[in-house]
Amino acid sequence: MRLLKSTLAPLCCPARALPRARIRRIAVLASALIAVAAAACSGTREAGPSAPASVAVAPHLDRGPCESRFVPHALDHETRGPGASRSMFDGMGAGLAVGDLNSDGRDDLVLANLSGDTSVLWNDGGLQFRRESLVKGRFRQAVIVDGDADGLNDVILTTGVGRPLAMLNTGTGANASERFNRAELDGLDAYTYAIAWGDLGGDGDLDAVTGAYNAELTAERRLNLGDKGGVGLFEREGSTFVHTQMAVESQALAARIGDIDGDGAVDIFVGNDLATPDLIWLAGPEGAWIPASPFTQTAFSTMGVDSGDIDNDGDIDLFATDMKPMDDKPETLAAYSQVQADIDASPTDDIQRPENVLLLADGDGYASEAPSFGIEATGWSWSGLFGDLDNDGFQDLYVVNGMVADNLFDHLPGASLTEPNQAFRNVEGSRFEFAAGWGLDDTTGGRGMAMADLDSDGDLDIVVNNLNSPSLLYENRLCAGSSLTVALEWAGTLNPSAVGARVTATSTDGGAFVRTVETSRGYLSGASPIVHIGLGAAAGPVDLEVVWPDGGVSRLSGIPVDHHASVHRQDGAESP
């Protein structure tokens, strides 16, 4: 399949639009949305109406012993395939999710499994986690969101061979089996491998985009959901979801809902495997979705997708992982020999390349390739995430690697491609350099991955769901720089964590740092809605600007550094 080509030029032309199932807007916010649409057509972003907000702050906890490295801790979970299987589908592993499941202010973990127990790890503080079985089965992606819009975070799991499963949070119960009820969300019924949640249209509820991995569906043939393969858009309508078919085929390993063209509205990005071009839809006028090809380069087989402002210019950049050997040593190229033969035999379009792709956004909302950053070849890479790991004010990069497959690596021991994970330090937004001393070069085979401040000390820790080895938590003991963590509360809506919001922190030193609230990042993994902002050596207070999903803007000043800020919107918005 090939993406229907268009340019960004006809973005404001309704005649070329693909309509949504239904369009909803909150009446009191109509003027803000008209302003956003006008800004998109004029190529500028206009400020939305003021949204009153309050903020409560609490200091970060002590960072403990400083070792200038990350310290690994084994978690009580191991993702494995059924039996001794070494099929390609089993070798693709599973993801994980981060989020607060019991409303105690600490992010918990959910680690998906291909065979046996998917685990919930309750965060008891101090990096102490208490494991319980959540559900048994074969699962791929995990996301923590309020799927049934009752104010409690649920766990959404994908299987790749059927509709998503929801573990609905009741808010009560002494253990996981009592707290969560297994269910299906009404209307959310597409074949789903990858899923992203977001507030499409900024109307105060959470919608979903699903992507099928058609090759796995063909092999498994578990369910018959009619034509609901490919890419599906599911918009919330009351207590149900309404489906729009966006593409009939996909090889989706990653999905993202976020602003691509810089107009302030969220767009849709689906990353495809096996030479299938990535699929992109831009939000157009009157709720239209416009297919687009805005990039000069994409990955050949997109494995994971992440976003971040890596050069601190205020624009959100994109990163897609692929599978390119780390070096050209004979033994390395020999390990990839079968893979390279398959790549050479596959048809591609003009912009696909078998390597990682970093796309730097420019001031016009377009993106350009950035090979000078030196991160195009990191091995057989799954999750690649941005995060300011050393709190110097620039977002670093961590990539996890490895693969097991009889049909690809039968010439290697255990049919396993063993490679070290790769950590890169961002050097003032100009390049990445290998962070050899951080202790993140594990070789146990990472797949899903997440970054979050799991011990509330102001720096990012890392969790990796390995395949056929225990999952690992990397405790950040770099003890560098100051920081701020921010949690948003959008009461009175069905998007209480304000997924899709844009947070900008400006220090008294003049530095501005942009973060976005997203639920799905990397490969098959769910992200915490709490944003982390490294501030470097900043010692003075910080000003915050929050652009909420409906376009409303809150501005708060005098936030102390090395604190957690809870921002509560106060304009009395009602649920749509």
Side-chain angles (χ1 to χ4, degrees):
M1 176 182 176
R2 291 294 179 267
L3 178 64
L4 176 62
K5 301 288 183 179
S6 74
T7 66
L8 296 185
L11 181 60
C12 300
C13 177
R16 299 199 55 180
L18 175 66
R20 300 186 191 183
R22 294 178 63 184
I23 307 303
R24 296 158 296 148
R25 295 290 186 267
I26 304 175
V28 298
L29 302 174
S31 61
L33 295 177
I34 291 172
V36 170
C41 293
S42 65
T44 61
R45 178 186 290 135
E46 297 183 6
S50 175
S54 62
V55 60
V57 298
H60 292 150
L61 300 181
D62 184 78
R63 290 177 178 171
C66 299
E67 303 180 26
S68 300
R69 69 185 181 103
F70 285 78
V71 176
H73 303 279
L75 296 174
D76 187 12
H77 174 89
E78 185 171 337
T79 293
R80 304 191 70 89
S85 171
R86 294 187 302 205
S87 73
M88 185 181 74
F89 295 136
D90 291 333
M92 293 159 69
L96 67 114
V98 181
D100 187 357
L101 290 169
N102 55 3
S103 303
D104 65 355
R106 294 187 292 264
D107 278 335
D108 308 298
L109 305 175
V110 173
L111 294 146
N113 207 335
L114 295 181
S115 179
D117 292 335
T118 286
S119 303
V120 56
L121 275 65
W122 300 104
N123 187 344
D124 290 332
L127 292 185
Q128 300 299 308
F129 290 87
R130 174 172 42 89
R131 180 196 172 276
E132 291 185 310
S133 173
L134 179 64
V135 63
K136 294 182 182 294
R138 179 178 175 87
F139 299 107
R140 291 294 185 178
Q141 183 166 354
V143 183
I144 295 176
V145 294
D146 184 5
D148 58 356
D150 66 350
L152 298 170
N153 278 334
D154 311 304
V155 180
I156 311 299
L157 299 166
T158 72
T159 67
V161 295
R163 64 187 295 163
L165 171 71
M167 300 300 294
L168 299 181
N169 192 343
T170 66
T172 60
N175 51 52
S177 62
E178 296 174 355
R179 176 176 287 267
F180 296 98
N181 291 330
R182 180 171 180 154
E184 295 174 342
L185 296 178
D186 186 28
L188 188 61
D189 56 357
Y191 292 110
T192 306
Y193 190 94
I195 189 170
W197 292 77
D199 190 350
L200 298 170
D203 56 0
D205 61 18
L206 288 177
D207 313 293
V209 171
T210 65
Y213 196 92
N214 285 0
E216 183 167 13
L217 300 179
T218 302
E220 298 281 354
R221 298 175 185 268
R222 296 265 182 100
L223 294 174
N224 180 13
L225 295 175
D227 61 353
K228 292 183 179 178
V231 178
L233 168 60
F234 289 86
E235 292 189 286
R236 181 178 290 280
E237 297 281 359
S239 61
T240 190
F241 291 88
V242 177
H243 173 252
T244 298
Q245 191 82 18
M246 305 292 282
V248 297
E249 287 186 351
S250 63
Q251 300 282 3
L253 294 179
R256 175 182 180 263
I257 294 175
D259 190 3
I260 291 175
D261 56 353
D263 66 350
V266 293
D267 308 302
I268 297 170
F269 184 109
V270 175
N272 286 311
D273 192 15
L274 297 177
T276 302
D278 295 337
L279 297 169
I280 298 163
W281 292 269
L282 302 177
E286 302 300 324
W289 291 107
I290 302 175
S293 294
F295 306 139
T296 58
Q297 179 183 345
T298 68
F300 174 82
S301 295
T302 299
M303 319 268 273
V305 174
D306 197 26
S307 64
D309 181 11
I310 65 167
D311 49 5
N312 289 349
D313 65 352
D315 296 320
I316 302 301
D317 311 304
L318 296 175
F319 179 68
T321 52
D322 205 319
M323 41 191 182
K324 183 175 182 178
M326 297 178 187
D327 54 57
D328 57 2
K329 297 177 182 178
E331 58 270 27
T332 303
L333 299 181
Y336 276 81
S337 58
Q338 181 57 55
V339 177
Q340 190 61 53
D342 291 344
I343 291 174
D344 292 342
S346 299
T348 64
D349 61 18
D350 295 335
I351 65 173
Q352 288 177 278
R353 301 181 190 177
E355 61 187 29
N356 299 340
V357 174
L358 173 63
L359 297 161
L360 288 179
D362 63 26
D364 296 325
Y366 294 87
S368 59
E369 59 184 283
S372 61
F373 276 72
I375 52 174
E376 69 276 4
T378 57
W380 191 293
S381 300
W382 297 97
S383 275
L385 296 183
F386 294 126
D388 190 352
L389 297 174
D390 58 359
N391 282 340
D392 69 346
F394 292 92
Q395 293 190 80
D396 310 298
L397 176 69
Y398 188 47
V399 181
V400 296
N401 296 320
M403 184 56 179
V404 179
D406 282 329
N407 64 323
L408 297 175
F409 303 113
D410 57 359
H411 57 294
L412 300 178
S416 176
L417 178 67
T418 302
E419 300 176 310
N421 298 338
Q422 304 283 290
F424 297 91
R425 179 177 175 270
N426 186 337
V427 182
E428 299 183 344
S430 62
R431 71 181 192 280
F432 286 100
E433 64 179 21
F434 185 62
W438 284 0
L440 292 172
D441 54 350
D442 183 69
T443 60
T444 50
R447 300 297 188 268
M449 188 245 293
M451 295 179 180
D453 182 9
L454 295 171
D455 50 3
S456 304
D457 64 353
D459 53 30
L460 286 173
D461 308 297
I462 302 171
V463 182
V464 180
N465 192 356
N466 293 314
L467 181 65
N468 300 327
S469 295
S471 298
L472 290 174
L473 185 154
Y474 294 95
E475 178 186 359
N476 191 333
R477 292 189 184 172
L478 296 179
C479 297
S482 58
S483 68
L484 188 72
T485 52
V486 182
L488 304 182
E489 301 171 9
W490 194 13
T493 75
L494 304 183
N495 181 10
S497 297
V499 176
R502 176 184 172 105
V503 179
T504 302
T506 304
S507 71
T508 53
D509 301 330
F513 311 93
V514 176
R515 302 291 185 269
T516 56
V517 181
E518 299 185 28
T519 64
S520 298
R521 296 178 60 194
Y523 172 68
L524 294 183
S525 295
S528 171
I530 300 174
V531 298
H532 167 271
I533 304 171
L535 297 169
V542 172
D543 295 336
L544 282 181
E545 179 188 82
V546 179
V547 180
W548 300 85
D550 65 350
V553 180
S554 300
R555 294 182 176 89
L556 305 119
S557 60
I559 311 299
V561 302
D562 294 325
H563 277 65
H564 176 76
S566 297
V567 178
H568 178 80
R569 183 164 166 175
Q570 295 179 308
D571 60 359
E574 297 180 357
S575 300

